[in-house]
Structures are given as C-alpha cells and as structure tokens.
Amino acid sequence: MTLFLLGLVLIVAGGASTALTRRSRRASADIPYQLLVGAGCALAIVDAARVLATGTPRAAAMHATMPGGDWRIGIDALSAVFLLAVLAVGAMCAFSGTRDLADERDARAGDTARSTWFTQLAFSVLIAAIALVVAARTVVVFLGAWEIMAISSYVLIVTHHEDADVRRSGLIYLVATHTATLALFAMFALWQAPASDWSFDALASASPSLHANVIATVLLLALVGFGFKAGVVPMHFWLPPAHASAPSHVSALMSGIVIKTGIYGLLRVLLLLGGAPAWWGWVVLGLGVASGVLGVLWALAQHDTKRLLAYHSVENIGIILMGIGAGALGVAHGSPTIAVLGFGGGLSHTLNHALFKSLLFLGAGAVYRATGTRNMEELGGLAKRMPLTWLGFAVGAAAIVGLPPFNGFVSEWLVYQGLFATGESAKLTRLALLGIPALALIGALALACFAKVAGVVFLGAPRTAHAREATERGGGALAPMLALAMACIGLGIVPVLGISLVKSAAQQLSGLEGDAFPQAVISDAWAISLLALAVLVLSAGLWTIRRALLRRRTVRRDATWACGYGGVTPRMQYTASSFAAPLLDVFGPLSGARVERGVAALHTRTIDLVLDGIVLPLWGMLHKGALRMRGIQHGRLHFYLLYVLAALLVLLGYLALWSRL
C-alpha cells in the first residue's frame, strides 16, 4: 500500500503546485501539475493492478486516538476495479482540464487566475478522495473521504459562480449529497450497534446476527444514501444541472467516476452483508429499469449537449443496476451463472462507462470551447472543421449505444446473457421478461439519441457563425480524448481483456471459488466483436478504393435540390427538436418535453419531472411553512423554556412507548 499512499500524496501535491505558479502566464506553468498528477495516478494504480494479477488483497492500518478506532485502508478485487477507473480516467481528465483552464485564464482578467488554480487544486483533491473512498476499510475513513469528495465536487461545480444558474445547481447538489450522507450515517450507526468496532471487518462479522428488519433497513438506507450519489431515478434530479454547470473536464470526472462511488457503496454493503434478500434484488432491478428507460428518454428531449450526456449517465447507471439486481437475485436463488454474469456485466459496464462517458464529455467540452455554445440548434457541420474531435466523439457514441466492436457492447452483452440465463430457473423467468425488453428499449432510444447528436452537431451545414468559425483544438486537449477512444476500441476488440479485469470481483460478490465465468459467453462476445471489426475494416477498404478510383475521373458536384426553393439554407435541416419529436410524442408528458408554438416557429423546452414537478414544489411549501413558524422566535425566555419542556415530555413519552414494544 506504500505506492498507493505515495500516489495520493503526489496527486494532492500536484494540485498544491498550482498555487505556487498561479501568477505565471507561461504554458510551462502547468507542467508540474500534469507531471505530479500523472505520476501519482500511475503509482497508485500499481497496487490495484497487483491485486488483480495475483488475487491477493493488500491492507494497511494506522493507529488513531480519535473515536472510531484505527484507520484502515485496503485493496481487494472490488476496490481494484474501481481504482483502475478512478486513476486512469482521473489522469486523462486532469490533462484535458489543464488546457481548458489555461484558455480561460488567458482569456479573462487576472482575478480569474485565482479561481483557476483553486479549481485545479480541488480537482486533484477530488481524485485522491475518490480513491480513498474505495480503499477505506473503516467507517470513519470512508465517511471522511466521502465528505471531502462531496465538498470538492461542490467547489468544482460552482467554478463559474458568477452565474446564478451555476449557484442554483451547486445548492441543489449540496442538499442532495448531504441528504445522502445523513442516510449513510444512519445506516452505519444501525449496523454498528452489535459490532465490536467501526471497521468493515467488524460490520461483516456482526451481519449474521442482525435481525431481518435491521438488515432490511440497512439495505434501504444504502439505496437512499448511495442512490443519491449514483443518480438513480428518482434521486437523480441534482445530476443534470450539476454536470451542465461544471467545467467539461469536471463533468467528465463526475459522470465517469464520482457517481460510480454510489455503485461501489452498494456493492460493498452487499459484500459485507454476505448477500441480500430476493426482494432487494427486485427493487434494484426495478430502479435500474426505471433509471435506464427514463434516463435515455429524458436525454432524447434535451438540446443542451452536456445536459443530454448527463441524462445518459442516469441511463447507464440504470443498466449497471440491472446487472447488480440480476446478480443479487442469482445469489438469493442459488443460480451461480446468473449471479456471476449479472455482477460481471454491472462491473464491466461501470468500467466501460467511465471510459466512453468521459470521452463524450471531453468531446462536448471541445465543441463548447470552439463555438461558445452548448445548444445543438446553433451547431452543425463540425465534422469538417473538427475532424479529430468528431472521430473521438463518434467512437464514444458508438460505445455508449452498445455497438460492436466497442467496449459498451461487451458489458451490455454480459448483462443480456445474465438475463437470458434466467430461463434455467423457473423462479427467475420474470427477470428475463422484465429486463430483456427494457434493455432493448434503452438501446433503441440511445441509438436514436446519438443519431440526433451526431447529425445535428457534426453533420450538415453550420447553423450559425459560431459553428462556421470553429477550429480544431491543440494536441494537449485532443490527446486525452484519443487515448480514451483507443481504450474503448481495445476493450471492445479484445473483450476478454475487460472481462478479466472484473472477473475476480464478480466471483467475490457471487461467493464463488475458482473460475466460474462461462467461457462460452466470452467466446461469443469475441466472435461478434471480430466480425464487426471485419465489417468496419472492409468498409474502410472499399471507401479507400473508391476515393482512389475517383481521383482519376472528373466528378461533377452540384448543389442539393432545394425542392423548388431558391437554395438550401441551414434552416431546412432537421433540428434537434424536430428529429426527436416523433419518438417523444409516443411517450407524451412522460418525456418532459413541452411544446411552445409561435407565429413563425415551433420550439420545445424540457423540464425535469422530479426536480420541477416534485422537489421544487415541496421545497417551496417547506419554505412557506418555515416563514410562518418564524413567529415562535420572539425572544421571550419563558416561552423558550416551555419549548424545551415540551420536547423533553415528547422524548420521555417516546422512550416509555418504545420500552413497552
């Protein structure tokens, strides 16, 4: 664990180094930050790679005089999978963010330089805090790192705090994340009551002695606490505004990594409890279906590229939960094949989503930097002006849709196979009937959504001067994108590589010994990926031959027929609204799209059904109630003593009633 801890120190030191160079305007001023963060991530990832290679967990402890016992950290197969994603994606986002922040620092007045270095410091602290969350082995270390992660995320979300919408997004996030933290405090307090100390080992030892009602409460509190962080419907409402408000490299880390700590927490609780009742598996599966279907539907209605990608994070969390739900049901009903495929699919999609979603957010950030807008209706034709950004975004889009030979296909294939395997168990047939159609619907809507994004943003003709004047960014911004794109392609072409990374953790969660992963599933995934790769290579070859033949001929190029109009204009193209309208009409008000018809145009706007329809109205009612209760604070001491006496009587009555029960 020495390399792991040293790596975290270097990551934080990299962020601190920006305070020393904050007054410099030279491009070389960011080199210490990049070197230290990159070296720290590389060192910390070594211990995780060793655990996956050898299967031997690592641990370290430090004596602490504070309440809560010694501080312990460790890396097992489950932690190692998440650490790979945290450190690899964290480094790529840090490198990309350096260019973004440098552009912003150079473009604005000197007072912005302060926020720039502080943003880099908070970003490095966030990476280290996430790594510590997944390595924690005591409640005190876990919750401490969890709170540091929450606060540093808030600091990054409100980077551009001069904007009122950004401050509002930060406040919503802060309320949601601390609601989740309160649920986790309650969960650990309830769980620790019969345990000897606050270590995870003590919690695991005490789990068999817990009453069924206590276990149910722990599992439900875990769903609330970790569900908020993961962005599970209906606890997702903080996620789209937060990701849209944050700088793009921060959005990439939050969507690719931060929300995955919620998934890690659920799996860690499941592992410490030694499994979960069947009802919990059905609840998780149901939440996964709801998050997947509604997340992609709401994404389809968006016109803001970053909000669209944020809702797709909700969708992909749903797919991950579907795998976890299938795995939990497999364990509960004694079906090892279903269990290992479900958990394997969920973990694999966790890793793959971290790669392609961070790639997509970095691509969206590059488009925003080049055009100054995130509104798809103002873009178009960027493929010719930003070809490398288009290439990286296209790879991420194909991966998130689940097309072979990209990594998203492999993880969704595992989830599908886990659902299909339920045919072997009469008790779990309902799992296939619910999960398979839902996963197919999610894939179809995701394909339509990214066809909209790719077509409206990158293809066609530029709709505004912003799009016409866009230019490709430098290598410092493109290199992390292309590296992530290569990872998506590599894990798709060689699916056994990605599966081998999560296999040990899947078997650990399933309670199985040895190599229990079905080899036929891996072979089929490999065959499909190679076939798709062959089709792509053949298509590229034919396209190359065609171009070579056309060079020898004179090719006449004419304008597109304008159907009797004087000429084709950008207004004749499909807009994001018109492209999605036929599909959104099928789902009606559930899509969150609201149509506004004018004299000369039709426009759609979107609302979040949970935030705008439930949370904000309830918050308004609470605010009004609080204002009405201000009258009891009138400064008279004898009334305050009566309040204390009344509260004491209520508590005594509660204790008397509880003792009789």
Side-chain angles (χ1 to χ4, degrees):
M1 296 295 292
T2 303
L3 291 178
F4 173 76
L5 292 173
L6 179 59
L8 298 190
V9 171
L10 288 178
I11 292 171
V12 176
S17 70
T18 60
L20 303 177
T21 60
R22 65 183 184 273
R23 299 187 184 280
S24 175
R25 297 296 184 186
R26 297 179 180 178
S28 59
D30 291 318
I31 292 178
Y33 170 76
Q34 293 178 316
L35 289 177
L36 288 171
V37 172
C41 290
L43 279 179
I45 212 169
V46 170
D47 280 333
R50 286 177 177 173
V51 170
L52 291 176
T54 63
T56 304
R58 294 174 174 268
M62 183 180 74
H63 180 67
T65 57
M66 297 173 60
D70 295 342
W71 293 5
R72 302 177 188 176
I73 60 172
I75 303 176
D76 58 3
L78 180 61
S79 295
V81 171
F82 282 85
L83 283 175
L84 287 179
V86 170
L87 298 169
V89 173
M92 293 298 103
C93 293
F95 296 156
S96 179
T98 302
R99 175 61 187 275
D100 285 348
L101 295 175
D103 291 345
E104 182 172 324
R105 183 175 62 230
D106 295 340
R108 296 190 177 185
D111 60 347
T112 305
R114 178 181 56 81
S115 64
T116 299
W117 73 260
F118 192 70
T119 298
Q120 289 176 304
L121 174 59
F123 193 86
S124 62
V125 170
L126 177 59
I127 296 174
I130 300 170
L132 197 56
V133 164
V134 300
R137 290 297 178 268
T138 64
V139 174
V140 173
V141 176
F142 181 88
L143 289 178
W146 185 272
E147 186 63 11
I148 294 173
M149 177 181 68
I151 297 300
S152 55
S153 296
Y154 169 76
V155 170
L156 292 167
I157 290 170
V158 297
T159 297
H160 301 122
H161 52 81
E162 62 275 6
D163 189 332
D165 288 338
V166 171
R167 296 195 298 272
R168 178 177 180 269
S169 300
L171 179 59
I172 293 172
Y173 164 78
L174 207 58
V175 171
T177 193
H178 282 105
T179 301
T181 303
L182 288 175
L184 296 182
F185 269 110
M187 180 194 75
F188 283 122
L190 183 64
W191 196 350
Q192 193 274 337
S196 58
D197 57 39
W198 290 90
S199 68
F200 284 3
D201 289 338
L203 296 181
S205 300
S207 295
S209 63
L210 295 178
H211 190 274
N213 292 336
V214 175
I215 292 177
T217 305
V218 167
L219 288 170
L220 289 175
L221 287 171
L223 277 177
V224 174
F226 295 121
F228 262 109
K229 182 63 70 175
V232 179
V233 172
M235 296 168 282
H236 72 286
F237 57 85
W238 66 269
L239 193 151
H243 289 195
S245 299
S248 297
H249 71 290
V250 175
S251 302
L253 186 71
M254 291 190 67
S255 184
I257 300 300
V258 173
I259 63 175
K260 303 300 173 41
T261 57
I263 299 298
Y264 170 79
L266 286 175
L267 293 175
R268 180 59 66 184
V269 167
L270 200 62
L271 192 61
L272 294 177
L273 286 175
W279 66 263
W280 190 82
W282 286 111
V283 170
V284 171
L285 180 71
L287 289 174
V289 170
S291 299
V293 174
L294 293 176
V296 69
L297 176 62
W298 293 335
L300 187 61
Q302 303 302 311
H303 309 321
D304 184 312
T305 52
K306 290 182 67 175
R307 288 184 70 90
L308 179 144
L309 293 176
Y311 276 109
H312 272 290
S313 295
V314 177
E315 169 224 333
N316 282 274
I317 287 294
I319 295 175
I320 294 169
L321 288 181
M322 290 175 67
I324 294 174
L329 287 170
V331 172
H333 290 283
S335 300
T337 301
I338 299 173
V340 76
L341 285 174
F343 286 127
L347 286 169
S348 179
H349 204 67
T350 298
L351 180 60
N352 290 332
H353 178 258
L355 296 172
F356 59 66
K357 182 49 68 67
S358 55
L359 168 60
L360 289 168
F361 265 112
L362 293 182
V367 170
Y368 174 69
R369 286 292 177 188
T371 62
T373 181
R374 302 195 310 254
N375 186 356
M376 286 183 281
E377 311 286 23
E378 299 178 5
L379 300 172
L382 296 183
K384 294 180 180 179
R385 292 160 179 80
M386 306 174 67
L388 293 179
T389 299
W390 160 236
L391 176 62
F393 195 92
V395 170
I400 196 173
V401 170
L403 297 177
F406 302 99
N407 59 341
F409 159 74
V410 178
S411 48
E412 290 194 31
W413 171 261
L414 293 180
V415 176
Y416 266 118
Q417 293 304 308
L419 295 173
F420 278 121
T422 58
E424 302 174 1
S425 173
K427 297 179 180 179
L428 294 177
T429 304
R430 293 172 296 170
L431 178 59
L433 296 177
L434 173 63
I436 294 173
L439 196 54
L441 177 60
I442 292 169
L445 291 175
L447 179 60
C449 189
F450 277 93
K452 178 185 84 168
V453 179
V456 173
V457 175
F458 289 97
L459 303 181
R463 292 173 172 81
T464 62
H466 299 299
R468 284 191 295 271
E469 296 169 2
T471 56
E472 190 68 272
R473 306 193 69 204
L478 289 172
M481 288 180 55
L482 296 179
L484 291 169
M486 292 300 296
C488 293
I489 296 172
L491 291 176
I493 295 175
V494 189
V496 67
L497 179 61
I499 293 175
S500 64
L501 294 176
V502 303
K503 183 165 59 175
S504 297
Q507 293 175 178
Q508 181 185 11
L509 289 163
S510 304
L512 302 175
E513 299 291 339
D515 190 357
F517 218 92
Q519 295 301 315
V521 174
I522 301 176
S523 301
D524 291 343
W526 204 331
I528 294 173
S529 291
L530 290 178
L531 179 61
L533 177 64
V535 171
L536 289 178
V537 171
L538 179 61
S539 301
L542 292 175
W543 180 80
T544 303
I545 294 172
R546 178 180 179 274
R547 281 183 61 90
L549 293 175
L550 288 177
R551 286 197 188 100
R552 303 175 184 177
R553 301 175 56 185
T554 301
V555 180
R556 190 180 70 180
R557 298 181 182 274
D558 291 322
T560 303
W561 182 53
C563 302
Y565 289 93
V568 177
T569 67
R571 284 179 58 83
M572 291 179 169
Q573 301 177 107
Y574 267 108
T575 63
S577 302
S578 59
F579 186 95
L583 280 173
L584 296 177
D585 288 344
V586 174
F587 294 91
L590 188 62
S591 67
R594 300 295 182 264
V595 178
E596 296 178 352
R597 291 178 172 84
V599 177
L602 180 145
H603 176 70
T604 61
R605 63 179 181 89
T606 58
I607 64 170
D608 189 292
L609 298 183
V610 177
L611 178 62
D612 298 310
I614 300 175
V615 175
L616 292 181
L618 288 177
W619 182 266
M621 293 171 59
L622 180 63
H623 182 253
K624 290 180 180 178
L627 290 178
R628 291 175 180 174
M629 293 183 64
R630 290 176 64 181
I632 67 175
Q633 301 291 340
H634 39 60
R636 298 177 182 176
L637 181 60
H638 59 282
F639 278 105
Y640 291 162
L641 293 175
L642 288 176
Y643 298 158
V644 173
L645 180 60
L648 181 61
L649 291 175
V650 170
L651 289 175
L652 289 174
Y654 167 77
L655 292 175
L657 181 62
W658 179 260
S659 62
R660 292 184 180 181
L661 295 177

Coordinates of all heavy atoms in Angstrom, one line a residue, residues 322-353:
M322 N -29.3 -2.9 -13.3 CA -30.0 -4.1 -13.8 C -29.0 -5.3 -13.7 O -29.5 -6.4 -13.3 CB -30.4 -3.9 -15.3 CG -31.5 -2.9 -15.5 SD -31.9 -2.6 -17.2 CE -32.5 -4.2 -17.7
G323 N -27.8 -5.1 -14.0 CA -26.8 -6.2 -13.8 C -26.7 -6.6 -12.3 O -26.6 -7.7 -11.9
I324 N -26.6 -5.5 -11.4 CA -26.5 -5.8 -10.0 C -27.7 -6.5 -9.5 O -27.6 -7.5 -8.7 CB -26.2 -4.5 -9.2 CG1 -24.8 -3.9 -9.6 CG2 -26.3 -4.7 -7.7 CD1 -24.6 -2.6 -9.0
G325 N -28.9 -6.1 -9.9 CA -30.1 -6.7 -9.5 C -30.2 -8.2 -9.9 O -30.6 -9.0 -9.1
A326 N -29.8 -8.4 -11.2 CA -29.7 -9.8 -11.6 C -28.8 -10.6 -10.8 O -29.0 -11.8 -10.4 CB -29.4 -9.8 -13.1
G327 N -27.6 -10.1 -10.5 CA -26.6 -10.8 -9.7 C -27.1 -11.1 -8.3 O -26.9 -12.2 -7.8
A328 N -27.8 -10.1 -7.7 CA -28.3 -10.3 -6.3 C -29.4 -11.4 -6.3 O -29.4 -12.2 -5.4 CB -28.8 -9.0 -5.8
L329 N -30.2 -11.4 -7.3 CA -31.2 -12.4 -7.4 C -30.6 -13.8 -7.7 O -31.1 -14.8 -7.2 CB -32.2 -12.1 -8.5 CG -33.2 -10.9 -8.2 CD1 -34.0 -10.5 -9.4 CD2 -34.2 -11.4 -7.1
G330 N -29.6 -13.8 -8.5 CA -28.9 -15.1 -8.7 C -28.3 -15.7 -7.4 O -28.4 -16.9 -7.2
V331 N -27.7 -14.8 -6.6 CA -27.2 -15.3 -5.3 C -28.4 -15.8 -4.4 O -28.3 -16.8 -3.8 CB -26.4 -14.2 -4.6 CG1 -26.0 -14.6 -3.2 CG2 -25.1 -13.9 -5.4
A332 N -29.4 -15.0 -4.4 CA -30.6 -15.3 -3.5 C -31.2 -16.6 -3.8 O -31.7 -17.3 -3.0 CB -31.6 -14.2 -3.5
H333 N -31.3 -16.9 -5.1 CA -31.9 -18.2 -5.6 C -31.0 -19.3 -5.9 O -31.4 -20.3 -6.5 CB -32.8 -17.8 -6.8 CG -34.0 -17.0 -6.5 ND1 -35.1 -17.5 -5.9 CD2 -34.3 -15.7 -6.7 CE1 -36.0 -16.6 -5.7 NE2 -35.5 -15.4 -6.2
G334 N -29.7 -19.1 -5.6 CA -28.7 -20.2 -5.8 C -28.4 -20.5 -7.3 O -28.2 -21.6 -7.6
S335 N -28.4 -19.4 -8.1 CA -28.1 -19.6 -9.5 C -26.7 -18.9 -9.8 O -26.7 -17.7 -10.1 CB -29.1 -19.0 -10.4 OG -30.4 -19.6 -10.2
P336 N -25.6 -19.7 -9.7 CA -24.3 -19.0 -9.9 C -24.0 -18.4 -11.2 O -23.4 -17.4 -11.3 CB -23.3 -20.2 -9.6 CG -24.1 -21.4 -9.8 CD -25.5 -21.1 -9.5
T337 N -24.6 -19.0 -12.3 CA -24.3 -18.4 -13.6 C -25.0 -17.1 -13.7 O -24.4 -16.1 -14.2 CB -24.9 -19.4 -14.7 OG1 -24.3 -20.6 -14.6 CG2 -24.7 -18.8 -16.1
I338 N -26.2 -16.9 -13.3 CA -26.9 -15.6 -13.3 C -26.2 -14.6 -12.4 O -26.0 -13.5 -12.8 CB -28.3 -15.8 -12.8 CG1 -29.1 -16.8 -13.8 CG2 -29.0 -14.4 -12.8 CD1 -30.5 -17.1 -13.3
A339 N -25.7 -15.1 -11.3 CA -25.0 -14.2 -10.3 C -23.8 -13.6 -10.9 O -23.5 -12.4 -10.9 CB -24.8 -14.9 -9.0
V340 N -22.9 -14.5 -11.4 CA -21.6 -14.0 -11.9 C -21.7 -13.2 -13.2 O -21.0 -12.2 -13.4 CB -20.6 -15.2 -12.1 CG1 -21.0 -16.0 -13.4 CG2 -19.2 -14.8 -12.2
L341 N -22.7 -13.5 -14.1 CA -22.9 -12.7 -15.3 C -23.5 -11.4 -14.9 O -23.2 -10.4 -15.5 CB -23.8 -13.5 -16.2 CG -23.2 -14.7 -17.0 CD1 -24.2 -15.4 -17.8 CD2 -22.1 -14.2 -17.9
G342 N -24.5 -11.4 -14.0 CA -25.1 -10.1 -13.6 C -24.1 -9.2 -13.0 O -23.9 -8.0 -13.4
F343 N -23.3 -9.7 -12.0 CA -22.3 -8.8 -11.3 C -21.2 -8.4 -12.3 O -20.7 -7.3 -12.3 CB -21.8 -9.5 -10.1 CG -22.7 -9.5 -8.9 CD1 -23.0 -10.7 -8.3 CD2 -23.3 -8.3 -8.5 CE1 -23.8 -10.7 -7.2 CE2 -24.1 -8.3 -7.4 CZ -24.4 -9.5 -6.7
G344 N -20.8 -9.4 -13.1 CA -19.8 -9.2 -14.1 C -20.2 -8.1 -15.1 O -19.4 -7.2 -15.5
G345 N -21.5 -8.2 -15.6 CA -22.0 -7.2 -16.5 C -22.0 -5.8 -15.9 O -21.7 -4.8 -16.5
G346 N -22.5 -5.7 -14.6 CA -22.6 -4.4 -13.9 C -21.2 -3.8 -13.7 O -21.1 -2.6 -14.0
L347 N -20.3 -4.6 -13.3 CA -18.9 -4.1 -13.1 C -18.3 -3.7 -14.4 O -17.6 -2.7 -14.5 CB -18.1 -5.1 -12.3 CG -18.4 -5.3 -10.8 CD1 -17.7 -6.6 -10.3 CD2 -18.0 -4.1 -10.0
S348 N -18.4 -4.5 -15.4 CA -17.8 -4.2 -16.7 C -18.4 -2.9 -17.3 O -17.7 -2.1 -17.8 CB -18.1 -5.4 -17.7 OG -17.5 -5.1 -18.9
H349 N -19.7 -2.7 -17.1 CA -20.3 -1.5 -17.6 C -19.9 -0.3 -16.8 O -19.8 0.8 -17.3 CB -21.8 -1.6 -17.6 CG -22.5 -0.7 -18.6 ND1 -22.4 -0.9 -20.0 CD2 -23.3 0.4 -18.5 CE1 -23.0 0.1 -20.6 NE2 -23.6 0.9 -19.7
T350 N -19.6 -0.5 -15.5 CA -19.1 0.6 -14.7 C -17.8 1.1 -15.2 O -17.5 2.3 -15.4 CB -18.9 0.1 -13.2 OG1 -20.2 -0.3 -12.7 CG2 -18.3 1.2 -12.4
L351 N -16.9 0.1 -15.6 CA -15.6 0.5 -16.1 C -15.7 1.1 -17.5 O -15.1 2.1 -17.8 CB -14.7 -0.8 -16.1 CG -13.3 -0.6 -16.6 CD1 -12.5 0.4 -15.8 CD2 -12.6 -2.0 -16.6
N352 N -16.5 0.4 -18.3 CA -16.6 0.9 -19.7 C -17.3 2.3 -19.8 O -16.9 3.2 -20.6 CB -17.4 -0.1 -20.5 CG -16.6 -1.4 -20.8 OD1 -15.4 -1.3 -20.8 ND2 -17.3 -2.5 -21.0
H353 N -18.3 2.5 -19.0 CA -19.0 3.8 -19.0 C -18.1 4.9 -18.5 O -18.1 6.0 -19.0 CB -20.2 3.7 -18.0 CG -21.0 5.0 -17.9 ND1 -20.8 5.9 -16.9 CD2 -21.8 5.7 -18.8 CE1 -21.6 7.0 -17.0 NE2 -22.2 6.8 -18.2

